Amino acid sequence: MLVSLVRSFSRQGIRVPVSRFSTYNALRSNSDYKSDAPNYEHILTESHDKVGLITLNRPKTFNALSSDLFHEINDALKKFENDSSIGAIVITGNERAFSAGADIKEMLNQTFANSYKTNFLFHWGEINNIKKPVIAAVNGFALGGGCELAMSCDVIYAGETAKFGQPEIKLGLIPGAGGTQRLTRVIGKSKAMELVLSGRTFTAQEAEQWGLVSKVFPVGEVLEKAIELGQEFAGFSQPVIQAAKESVNSAYELSLREGCHFERRIFQALFSLNDAKEGKDAFANKREAKWTHD
């Protein structure tokens, strides 16, 4: 069903790149590249210097999101979170699809009682508990759960042919992993309502214009640029980067007054860090800071 839905978009004139896309062939010659090889079935993991890379690897289903796949994503995220050598994480797919959505086969026999008792989709939100910056590198389709996964990341970089959307209405459903909430907060009620109720897709250029996507790049550059951004984040003090992420995220949960209070308290607390002392001293003495991450 998922493949049929994607093909229907293709008939509407939405182009699907057909070239094969390696996890990160462009950087395979980099000496900082390291392959991590736990026994994952649906994802690939690698590290590039201080950046952990998670690649969705179900190409035959346009990287359809299943419960098993999300358990693997969550496991990889936690491993990178607990790895002190990693300062940022990138999640990507391939040129055809970041992810075209949830695995519909998994939902065919789903009932309200079962989904309620098992809290179906709850574990899809564990990415929100990751303290380190998470960047989505999106090419091709990011539809339904794929769009929701991208929006759960802290920054989205997109290829110029990427297509986003929440087409659940066409399946007799609504977004169930944050789509109605995050999309509305970013692009506003009217535009989000139009897109969710119609199931229409929108382009990477539109997503950038509306503030959903940070930057748009040629297809072949997206992953490289995302990893470069991750390296930039990882080059700063890890506890300070994590505090900054927490403060920005609080803007979606708190009033302006409460948010500014929270920000100010975090700002004050950071003066207790050795890295704050190091950063100020390095600036005053016109030298490069040497972060110890404490």
Side-chain angles (χ1 to χ4, degrees), residues 66-216:
S66 64
S67 291
D68 288 342
L69 181 144
F70 252 101
H71 284 307
E72 292 185 0
I73 291 176
N74 291 336
D75 184 74
L77 285 169
K78 290 174 184 176
K79 282 184 169 63
F80 284 136
E81 176 92 322
N82 294 327
D83 187 341
S84 61
S85 70
I86 296 296
I89 304 165
V90 173
I91 300 178
T92 194
N94 54 52
E95 280 193 8
R96 301 181 72 191
F98 176 74
S99 171
D103 192 335
I104 306 303
K105 291 181 180 179
E106 194 172 72
M107 301 184 189
L108 286 178
N109 298 315
Q110 189 65 261
T111 65
F112 169 73
N114 183 66
S115 63
Y116 190 78
K117 287 188 295 184
T118 61
N119 207 0
F120 184 54
L121 298 188
F122 177 79
H123 66 291
W124 289 32
E126 290 189 24
I127 185 175
N128 302 307
N129 299 322
I130 300 301
K131 295 180 180 179
K132 294 177 180 179
V134 182
I135 304 162
V138 177
N139 272 314
F141 292 112
L143 305 178
C147 187
E148 290 170 313
L149 174 58
M151 290 191 293
S152 295
C153 297
D154 301 306
V155 178
I156 303 176
Y157 273 7
E160 56 194 1
T161 60
K163 297 290 181 182
F164 297 84
Q166 300 290 162
E168 288 88 347
I169 201 77
K170 299 181 179 182
L171 300 175
L173 295 168
I174 70 167
T180 64
Q181 303 303 299
R182 291 190 175 88
L183 194 62
T184 303
R185 280 168 166 77
V186 174
I187 71 175
K189 176 186 174 182
S190 181
K191 182 61 68 177
M193 190 74 77
E194 175 191 1
L195 293 169
V196 171
L197 269 58
S198 68
R200 294 173 187 165
T201 61
F202 51 97
T203 66
Q205 292 74 20
E206 289 173 318
E208 182 183 29
Q209 179 183 347
W210 300 337
L212 186 68
V213 162
S214 180
K215 290 182 180 179
V216 176

Side-chain angles (χ1 to χ4, degrees), residues 1-7 104-105 108 171:
M1 293 179 68
L2 177 64
V3 174
S4 297
L5 185 62
V6 171
R7 285 172 178 167
I104 306 303
K105 291 181 180 179
L108 286 178
L171 300 175

